Amino acid sequence: DGKGLRDYAWFDDNGNDEPHPVGQKRGNAWGLYDMHGNVDEWCLDSFDASFYGRSAADDPVNLDRTRLQRVRRGGSYSDEADECRSAYRYSAEPNRGFDNLGFRVVLVK
């Protein structure tokens, strides 16, 4: 239902249909913020709905550039709570723009 998610993410229940500045919600167990919701994460992988069923279990990467669609993950301010997981994948064409799509940047100290 998204009750616990409200503390960590902006999604359709609390996102007001717009992106928010990072760091306003609680960090996860590793001290990372905004890993779910707010904006979808634009990924390097090509999208193939059956890829994970036939690939290695650890860190599979799909670089098949014959496929036009790329992977989006993590959910956004306009997605339902169950779509705000890193395992939930969307697809999009890389030549299109979206208000709810971006990058998640990490600084390692």
Side-chain angles (χ1 to χ4, degrees):
D1 67 1
K3 286 182 183 178
L5 186 61
R6 289 185 194 116
D7 292 338
Y8 297 91
W10 300 106
F11 59 110
D12 72 341
D13 188 53
N14 65 354
N16 298 320
D17 207 30
E18 63 185 7
H20 297 270
V22 298
Q24 294 183 346
K25 297 290 186 176
R26 293 178 61 186
N28 65 17
W30 299 274
L32 301 174
Y33 294 82
D34 301 291
M35 295 304 294
H36 303 287
N38 205 18
V39 296
D40 287 330
E41 179 180 354
W42 192 238
C43 299
L44 174 68
D45 291 17
S46 295
F47 183 82
D48 178 349
S50 64
F51 177 72
Y52 289 108
R54 62 179 194 277
S55 63
D58 291 337
D59 299 323
V61 178
N62 186 356
L63 299 178
D64 178 0
R65 294 303 180 236
T66 62
R67 295 183 173 276
L68 181 59
Q69 303 285 318
R70 298 294 183 265
V71 172
R72 302 168 61 162
R73 293 183 182 268
S76 76
Y77 58 79
S78 61
D79 291 317
E80 296 177 11
D82 64 339
E83 296 170 332
C84 293
R85 310 179 300 121
S86 58
Y88 193 88
R89 298 177 299 138
Y90 302 81
S91 65
E93 294 179 16
N95 60 347
R96 295 193 54 212
F98 302 89
D99 292 339
N100 63 346
L101 177 62
F103 296 92
R104 288 186 169 86
V105 179
V106 175
L107 172 65
V108 177
K109 294 182 180 183

